[in-house]
């Protein structure tokens, strides 16, 4: 990734602010995104839909044009599904800028790193980034599993680093996890939560750092048991999915596991736990079925090859249904947001 900018559309800020760190972060108006893959494009769309300035940086310069096309398409759909202010639609192109290098991110109050799950890559990005932006700039990683404390090690002003774990499609989902590392300042966490709310999210703020955070730990525990049930011959893939959808999928949007126990009677769960927990999978290896599917070069609907058989047409339908379902679920979630 280039470290010296050439021509750029990004707004600039004086490098004099690179010294010191205020007690409270500056209000977030301009956000840098490093990595314009699927997640970066979705996050850019979300930010532009909520009035932010966005500066995108990617080693592949073609990704910026892809981001422009993605944003144009998804803002049109957002407007159709949820409605957007006319000013948002009229100004988003002027608020999306391409960075030639890290120096073009100097005007950002927040920079989001959205590259692949590679610790060495993320560390190399942070090493260059923190030389280019003020120490007042909040730096967040969209890592889905790496401990934030690990990413903070050896950094300049480590108190301004934290995790922001977005969901996909980022422009639709209300999901956002905010994860502090051991050195993250409380004011940074507060600013990140405020930012998440301004992006239309319902931020889940962790009290401390842990690998995988909240949703991934819950999800992978479920996936481990799902593989165990299939590999043990208890049920096939279709039946496991069917059971999950028609039970957990039926109530999970309304209530998390603790609210669900409140709604359905707590003592019964304690009784079931006593006999069932010792029999659940505790495996620590990647399941054999997963290894076999990965070796077959299956990507899922992305290449019409996965745990289920697809044609290109059926894979496309599943992608479209997923997006439409996400819009409908968002509306339902907003209707039943817990208030107490």
């Amino acid at each position: 990734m280039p470290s010296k900018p050439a021509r750029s559309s990004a707004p600039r800020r004086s490098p004099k602010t690179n010294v010191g760190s205020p007690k409270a972060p500056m209000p977030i108006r301009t956000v840098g995104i490093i990595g314009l893959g699927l997640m970066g494009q979705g996050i850019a769309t979300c930010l532009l839909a909520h009035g932010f300035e966005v500066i995108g940086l990617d080693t592949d310069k073609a990704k910026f044009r892809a981001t422009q096309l993605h944003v144009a398409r998804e803002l049109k759909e957002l407007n159709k599904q949820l409605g957007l202010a006319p000013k948002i639609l009229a100004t988003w192109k002027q608020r999306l800028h391409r960075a030639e290098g890290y120096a073009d991110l100097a005007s950002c109050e927040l920079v989001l790193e959205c590259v692949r799950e590679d610790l060495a890559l993320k560390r190399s990005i942070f090493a260059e980034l923190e030389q280019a932006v003020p120490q007042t700039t909040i730096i967040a990683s969209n890592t889905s599993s790496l401990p934030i404390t690990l990413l903070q090690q050896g950094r300049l002003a480590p108190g301004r680093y934290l995790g922001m774990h977005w969901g996909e499609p980022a422009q639709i989902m209300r999901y956002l996890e905010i994860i502090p590392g051991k050195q993250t300042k409380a004011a940074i966490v507060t600013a990140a939560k405020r930012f998440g709310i301004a992006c239309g999210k319902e931020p889940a703020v962790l009290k401390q750092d842990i690998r995988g955070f909240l949703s991934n730990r819950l999800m992978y525990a479920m996936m481990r048991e799902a593989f165990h049930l299939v590999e043990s011959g208890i049920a096939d893939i279709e039946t496991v999915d069917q059971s999950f959808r028609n039970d957990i999928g039926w109530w999970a949007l309304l209530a998390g596991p603790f609210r669900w126990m409140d709604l359905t009677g707590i003592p019964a769960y304690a009784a079931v736990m006593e006999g069932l927990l010792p029999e659940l999978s505790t495996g620590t290896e990647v399941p054999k079925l997963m290894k076999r599917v990965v070796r077959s070069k299956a990507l899922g609907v992305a290449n019409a090859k996965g745990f289920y058989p697809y044609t290109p047409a059926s894979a496309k339908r599943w992608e479209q249904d997923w997006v439409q379902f996400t819009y409908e679920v968002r509306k339902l979630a907003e209707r039943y947001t817990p208030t107490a």
Side-chain angles (χ1 to χ4, degrees):
M1 200 168 285
S3 58
K4 294 198 71 175
R7 291 181 301 168
S8 168
S9 62
R12 305 305 299 271
R13 184 163 72 191
S14 170
K16 290 188 294 182
T17 57
N18 205 25
V19 179
S21 180
K23 292 182 180 179
M26 296 174 63
I28 297 171
R29 291 182 289 266
T30 304
V31 181
I33 300 177
I34 300 176
L36 296 175
L38 180 64
M39 283 302 306
Q41 291 175 10
I43 293 171
T45 304
C46 178
L47 299 183
L48 292 166
H50 288 86
F52 291 93
E53 296 272 338
V54 175
I55 305 176
L57 176 62
D58 198 290
T59 52
D60 181 355
K61 293 184 179 180
K63 289 286 184 68
F64 185 80
R65 177 56 180 160
T67 300
Q68 290 176 310
L69 295 173
H70 181 92
V71 171
R73 182 178 66 250
E74 298 305 325
L75 285 183
K76 182 178 179 181
E77 187 63 21
L78 272 170
N79 187 49
K80 175 184 173 183
Q81 297 274 357
L82 303 176
L84 293 174
K87 184 178 180 181
I88 292 294
L89 296 172
T91 63
W92 74 264
K93 291 181 181 179
Q94 290 75 48
R95 290 184 286 108
L96 176 60
H97 312 277
R98 178 173 62 86
E100 291 283 354
Y102 292 102
D104 287 337
L105 303 177
S107 63
C108 299
E109 292 83 28
L110 166 68
V111 177
L112 290 165
E113 167 271 304
C114 298
V115 303
R116 66 182 183 273
E117 289 290 87
D118 183 321
L119 178 60
L121 174 62
K122 292 177 187 292
R123 281 179 163 166
S124 69
I125 288 172
F126 293 153
E128 292 200 57
L129 175 64
E130 63 188 8
Q131 297 296 328
V133 302
Q135 290 190 15
T136 56
T137 300
I138 299 171
I139 300 177
S141 175
N142 186 42
T143 176
S144 59
S145 65
L146 294 172
I148 305 307
T149 300
L150 195 62
L151 296 176
Q152 286 178 311
Q153 291 177 358
R155 301 272 59 90
L156 293 175
R160 42 92 173 260
Y161 282 82
L162 80 167
M164 281 190 185
H165 184 207
W166 297 65
E168 172 62 23
Q171 72 274 11
I172 310 172
M173 292 182 68
R174 303 172 78 221
Y175 170 84
L176 177 66
E177 286 183 321
I178 296 173
I179 310 99
K182 286 185 178 179
Q183 299 181 73
T184 306
K185 294 181 179 179
I188 299 298
V189 177
T190 300
K193 181 179 180 180
R194 190 179 299 121
F195 166 73
I197 293 171
C199 292
K201 307 302 180 184
E202 188 182 359
V205 182
L206 278 67
K207 295 182 178 180
Q208 57 182 290
D209 194 11
I210 187 172
R211 183 180 289 273
F213 321 133
L214 296 183
S215 65
N216 270 346
R217 291 181 75 91
L218 293 167
M219 180 173 65
Y220 279 89
M222 174 274 294
M223 287 181 172
R224 176 171 62 186
E225 188 63 26
F227 276 104
H228 172 68
L229 292 168
V230 172
E231 293 181 342
S232 299
I234 307 300
D236 57 24
I237 288 172
E238 293 85 353
T239 305
V240 170
D241 277 0
Q242 179 190 54
S243 182
F244 185 91
R245 290 174 57 244
N246 288 329
D247 183 17
I248 298 172
W250 195 261
W251 55 261
L253 180 64
L254 174 67
F258 295 102
R259 179 80 71 178
W260 184 242
M261 289 186 284
D262 279 351
L263 289 170
T264 55
I266 296 171
Y269 291 92
V272 171
M273 285 177 180
E274 188 173 352
L276 180 58
L277 292 186
E279 297 192 14
L280 295 178
S281 172
T282 57
T284 58
E285 299 291 326
V286 176
K288 293 178 181 178
L289 173 57
M290 175 63 93
K291 290 180 179 179
R292 186 163 69 247
V293 173
V294 170
R295 281 197 302 268
S296 75
K297 304 201 182 300
L299 300 177
V301 295
N303 67 349
K305 188 176 182 181
F307 293 102
Y308 287 87
Y310 300 96
T311 64
S314 69
K316 186 66 176 177
R317 281 197 304 273
W318 271 103
E319 285 189 304
Q320 292 170 344
D321 287 348
W322 170 38
V323 172
Q324 182 58 36
F325 178 80
T326 306
Y327 275 113
E328 293 174 10
V329 164
R330 180 188 174 104
K331 294 172 185 176
L332 192 62
E334 289 173 343
R335 180 178 177 184
Y336 289 102
T337 297
T339 56

